[in-house]
Amino acid sequence: MSAIEDVARSVERAAAVEITGAGTHCGIGAPVVTEGPLTRVAAPAGIVDVQPADMTVRVLAGTPVASLAAALAEHGQECPLDPEDARATVGGVLACGVSGPRRLRHGPLRDAVLEVRVVTGEGRVVRGGGPTVKNVTGYDLPRLLVGSHGTLGVVVEVVLRTQPRAETGRWFTTTAAPGELRARLYRPACLAWDGARTHVLLEGHAADVDAEARMLDLVPTASPSRPPGAHRGRISVEARRIGALATRLRDLEVTWLAEVGVGTVHVGATDPGALDAARFAASAEGGWLLREAGAPDLDPFGLPVPNSALHERVRAAFDPLGKLNPGRLPIAQVQT
Amino acid sequence: MCFPESIEEISAAVGIACRHRVPFVARGSGTGLAGGATPVGDPLVIVTTRMNRILEIDAADRVAWVEPGVCNLDLSRSARHLGLHYAPDPSSQQACSIGGNVGTNAGGPHCLRDGVTSAHVLAVDVVLADGVITRLGGLAPDTPGYDLRGCFVGSEGTMGIAGRIAVRLLPDPPAVRTLLLDFASVAAAAATVSGIIAAGIVPAALEMMDAPITRLVEDFVGAGYPRDAEAVLLVEVSGLPEGVAAEVSGIGQVGRDHGARHVRVAADDAERELLWKGRKSAFGAIARIAPDYYLHDAVVPRTRLVEVLARVREIAAAQDLLVMNVFHAGDGNLHPLLVFDAREPGIWERVHAAGNGIVRACVEAGGVLSGEHGIGLEKRDLMPLVFDPDDLDAQARLRDAFDPSGLANPEKVLPRGSRCGEATRAPEGTWV
């Protein structure tokens, strides 16, 4: 495909490459730094092939998630990427590794990617994984690329796993303890707890959703909003430590919303120092905070990448000259 | 050969192998079909069967830490009183180990809805190829950096050895129903598989058996499988009761629309277990007709099942071999069984020719080489059927990043000449 070849030739000729999508997640990761000229590269857009009977879709990575969702909806299907801003491109969401709010039921983003085509740092087009829903042919490049921040390759095309949309999906709210909700509801799609109330997303057959809501006196409501504030991040912590983390966050000038059972806590603040304090609280509970927006002086990840030597070798395997998004994912050292 | 009893002992064994430049091969229960754990040459074989402790089950967070030698079924049995289970359920689950499941990214009938092993492994404490112990992944939902956990799962011992594994457990569904549908043709059964998915139903499991294996299993188990059917579907749906009831009736309707002769819904758990016993005993039942079988594992898009099954029969017939099919129809994962007697002169050549032809037919239909057993030795030299030289070179570099010394299960997964530079040095024709 010529659009993909064009990307490959651009990368091959460039001294350094910054990969761009829709710019909806540009606060994630460190700024790209290079001394020489920087070439901006974007993946082509377009839906190549929807296969509803196989529950797969082949899509070019520059396609906005909203367009993908609309194409799948025509067949009563979905792929639960669910970025906050649906203008985000499929490739951008994958590169940033941002799992959607329905992860509790539908799993992390990395489980949705069956096949990837990427342009490596040497300008080669490499394919990994395969187009079928089940496949162990060779190493799992698709999962490796998810969350790699564009430092292993320019994702140009992917095959994603799709699923039928549930007959019903409704939000409810309750003051019941989130642990009790987790124990008593059968695989809810989301349990979003803000310290006082829990927003519950139930999906499935309408009669089952009604019965579960009645059993726990859940009250219908709208979907919860993400914590406001110019400075935002997401904490990743063991799910069992969310209660203890909440106790620490209560004393800070932040608003937060925790995905119970997952271990993701969305944090918003009007003061960047408060986001830093939330990072400290996360670290005290064994977790970490990824900066998602604002707080330009805050380290983007806040802790060194583990297994740095192995990481560096993996990066060099795909991008030996260090051309791709240089500096975006600091492997060897972390600024403090 | 050594039998370590802790991750530290695995590390020590790998360290000794490294110092002496001896290749090492990890081995669990040895149930894999592709030869990933088969020693080639004279390597150190590191067998994990003595590391069979379940270290921790956290019922509230639904996480279990296990050693690699824990038997797959033992984990679900140990979690049963908590209302939890481990979803991947290979047919060999009474024997296969979780460590081996991680190595091959194993599947099973119930992976249709809930995904194969990689979707259930949260963290792995691994011994890397230089003997260093480290954790890949973690119990927190995300870790900074690359998903090395995802990369390690399914790497067939070429990126290190799993010493401790954290897996996710799922809550037992409140309602489970199992259906048996039988058909006068394989095409009708396959059309029903696609029809179920098109109706917006993703069953927990969706298995097909063709006529020869159905008769054999019925003689063996007596589960009431119809002996005159050309194909049967075993379908399981689970979840909340109203949704399950709607899916049972939807599946019955799709089946009848495609000419199902009977739609039998198991009345109780005993009947459900009997139906599943038939499916899971299929491989054992073959001993009743022939001493040997060769089981293949390949995947095609489920919309191509009918034509590929017809090709499989043609290919087997051309070699004068009996073929039986019992497989994960829902995700297009074929398991053709070539049944034979190894004492017959020249039989292996015919079996291999047929097996090779079947894999090629699957790839030609847009499929892949393996669904759940991996590449190992068996399919290593077929990798160029699905990957071009640049793809294989990238995989070889990735492997070298994990194992710079090349001692971890060296003869497996990638054909010789996968590295681009290596290809030019190798004699012509060695790897295609």
Side-chain angles (χ1 to χ4, degrees):
Chain A
M1 188 175 294
S2 66
I4 290 175
E5 280 304 316
D6 288 347
V7 172
R9 295 295 76 77
S10 299
V11 171
E12 195 177 35
R13 285 193 299 263
V17 172
E18 179 168 26
I19 306 163
T20 59
T24 51
H25 292 90
C26 57
I28 294 179
V32 167
V33 283
T34 179
E35 284 169 11
L38 185 66
T39 305
R40 289 199 169 77
V41 165
I47 291 160
V48 181
D49 189 20
V50 184
Q51 288 288 350
D54 287 322
M55 293 200 296
T56 62
V57 59
R58 182 180 293 274
V59 61
L60 293 168
T63 310
V65 171
S67 309
L68 172 65
L72 294 176
E74 284 180 29
H75 302 278
Q77 294 192 347
E78 62 175 5
C79 180
L81 301 181
D82 304 336
E84 206 174 354
D85 183 341
R87 289 174 300 180
T89 63
V90 170
V93 171
L94 297 185
C96 293
V98 179
S99 291
R102 296 188 290 160
R103 179 173 183 164
L104 182 61
R105 183 183 178 107
H106 299 293
L109 177 65
R110 59 182 186 245
D111 290 352
V113 190
L114 302 173
E115 180 184 307
V116 288
R117 284 176 90 192
V118 298
V119 173
T120 67
E122 292 166 298
R124 294 187 196 174
V125 182
V126 164
R127 195 171 57 83
T132 56
V133 290
K134 199 172 180 187
N135 176 27
V136 285
T137 309
Y139 299 123
D140 197 336
L141 263 50
R143 281 190 170 82
L144 188 65
L145 265 294
V146 172
S148 61
H149 300 280
T151 60
L152 297 179
V154 186
V155 179
V156 285
E157 185 184 84
V158 293
V159 177
L160 301 170
R161 185 184 182 129
T162 65
Q163 62 194 30
R165 291 166 70 166
E167 181 193 279
T168 304
R170 289 215 302 272
W171 283 97
F172 299 89
T173 183
T174 173
T175 54
E180 186 199 343
L181 296 168
R182 172 136 160 85
R184 294 188 61 191
L185 292 167
Y186 178 69
R187 300 179 76 172
C190 182
L191 296 172
W193 178 55
D194 65 7
R197 306 193 69 87
T198 305
H199 280 65
V200 180
L201 176 60
L202 299 181
E203 291 183 349
H205 194 274
D208 289 324
V209 169
D210 289 342
E212 286 209 299
R214 268 197 312 277
M215 172 181 76
L216 288 164
D217 289 325
L218 306 180
V219 179
T221 187
S223 62
S225 29
R226 290 280 177 87
H231 309 286
R232 289 186 291 123
R234 73 161 56 198
I235 291 171
S236 193
V237 69
E238 284 186 33
R240 71 180 99 182
R241 296 176 81 163
I242 278 187
L245 175 62
T247 306
R248 293 178 188 274
L249 292 176
R250 276 200 181 99
D251 297 333
L252 307 178
E253 295 293 314
V254 296
T255 47
W256 54 271
L257 190 66
E259 293 181 30
V260 174
V262 173
T264 297
V265 183
H266 305 276
V267 182
T270 52
D271 166 31
L275 201 61
D276 199 18
R279 167 172 285 171
F280 187 78
S283 135
E285 293 300 332
W288 63 290
L289 181 145
L290 171 75
R291 182 195 64 199
E292 290 190 302
D297 297 329
L298 205 63
D299 182 88
F301 299 96
L303 80 172
V305 167
N307 298 305
S308 58
L310 176 56
H311 262 93
E312 187 50 41
R313 292 198 302 270
V314 170
R315 194 196 58 72
F318 286 84
D319 181 20
L321 302 173
K323 271 187 187 182
L324 301 174
N325 275 0
R328 176 77 86 211
L329 176 68
I331 288 174
Q333 75 291 332
V334 61
Q335 303 103 21
T336 47
Chain B
M1 187 178 289
C2 65
F3 294 82
E5 296 185 347
S6 66
I7 190 168
E8 290 76 19
E9 288 187 9
I10 297 177
S11 165
V14 168
I16 291 166
C18 285
R19 277 196 296 283
H20 295 276
R21 305 282 313 154
V22 172
F24 58 90
V25 178
R27 188 174 177 90
S29 304
T31 57
L33 293 179
T38 302
V40 177
D42 203 11
L44 173 65
V45 181
I46 300 174
V47 186
T48 57
T49 46
R50 285 195 187 163
M51 294 178 65
N52 59 359
R53 290 176 304 163
I54 294 170
L55 302 170
E56 182 193 344
I57 294 181
D58 179 337
D61 266 314
R62 300 171 184 160
V63 173
W65 276 101
V66 302
E67 290 185 327
V70 167
C71 166
N72 175 296
L73 189 58
D74 285 348
L75 176 56
S76 280
R77 281 191 178 135
S78 301
R80 187 176 291 161
H81 70 287
L82 302 166
L84 301 171
H85 67 280
Y86 178 59
D89 60 339
S91 294
S92 58
Q93 69 182 143
Q94 297 194 30
C96 65
S97 68
I98 305 268
N101 293 170
V102 169
T104 55
N105 195 10
H110 286 85
C111 294
L112 173 56
R113 190 187 57 196
D114 291 323
V116 294
T117 299
S118 191
H120 301 273
V121 172
L122 302 172
V124 196
D125 287 346
V126 306
V127 177
L128 294 173
D130 56 2
V132 169
I133 298 172
T134 190
R135 177 164 297 181
L136 306 179
L139 299 193
D142 299 305
T143 41
Y146 306 137
D147 184 13
L148 302 180
R149 171 211 61 88
C151 198
F152 180 85
V153 176
S155 64
E156 303 190 49
T158 65
M159 292 182 173
I161 301 177
R164 270 190 297 262
I165 302 150
V167 298
R168 153 177 105 108
L169 301 174
L170 293 182
D172 293 343
V176 185
R177 302 302 290 275
T178 304
L179 296 84
L180 185 73
L181 295 82
D182 69 87
F183 297 86
S185 75
V186 169
T192 301
V193 170
S194 291
I196 290 169
I197 301 295
I201 300 170
V202 182
L206 178 43
E207 303 282 302
M208 194 192 296
M209 305 202 301
D210 69 4
I213 195 81
T214 301
R215 283 196 284 275
L216 198 60
V217 161
E218 183 54 22
D219 290 347
F220 189 54
V221 175
Y225 284 25
R227 300 186 84 263
D228 57 346
E230 277 303 308
V232 302
L233 292 179
L234 186 64
V235 191
E236 187 156 285
V237 290
S238 65
L240 291 163
E242 296 296 332
V244 166
E247 290 183 348
V248 166
S249 97
I251 290 165
Q253 190 57 51
V254 171
R256 280 184 288 270
D257 289 349
H258 290 91
R261 304 184 314 169
H262 307 94
V263 177
R264 171 177 161 195
V265 183
D268 52 29
D269 282 351
E271 191 179 353
R272 278 189 52 235
E273 277 163 28
L274 190 60
L275 291 178
W276 273 111
K277 188 178 174 195
R279 163 63 182 88
K280 294 205 171 183
S281 311
F283 303 140
I286 287 167
R288 294 170 70 94
I289 57 160
D292 302 288
Y293 67 82
Y294 190 16
L295 175 60
H296 263 278
D297 164 43
V299 188
V300 296
R302 67 171 77 77
T303 45
R304 308 287 297 271
L305 277 175
V306 176
E307 61 185 284
V308 174
L309 285 170
R311 279 289 293 142
V312 166
R313 287 184 183 198
E314 282 168 27
I315 290 164
Q319 297 293 341
D320 198 20
L321 288 167
L322 176 59
V323 65
M324 301 187 173
N325 287 284
V326 44
F327 63 100
H328 314 308
D331 35 34
N333 190 180
L334 295 176
H335 282 321
L337 281 144
L338 298 165
V339 180
F340 61 97
D341 183 341
R343 291 168 297 188
E344 195 182 324
I347 188 77
W348 277 112
E349 287 72 19
R350 282 155 54 206
V351 168
H352 283 297
N356 201 294
I358 287 169
V359 171
R360 285 172 189 272
C362 290
V363 171
E364 280 162 19
V368 295
L369 297 178
S370 171
E372 53 189 12
H373 289 271
I375 299 301
L377 266 181
E378 181 199 33
K379 290 174 174 163
R380 181 190 65 191
D381 296 334
L382 298 174
M383 286 285 273
L385 286 180
V386 288
F387 292 117
D388 72 20
D390 280 347
D391 303 337
L392 289 173
D393 178 64
Q395 294 197 34
R397 291 191 196 192
L398 176 59
R399 176 192 190 139
D400 293 346
F402 272 85
D403 178 23
S405 63
L407 294 174
N409 212 4
E411 298 293 327
K412 312 297 169 58
V413 184
L414 296 177
R416 288 202 184 137
S418 292
R419 292 155 190 84
C420 279
E422 187 185 9
T424 58
R425 288 196 302 272
E428 198 172 336
T430 48
W431 66 289
V432 275

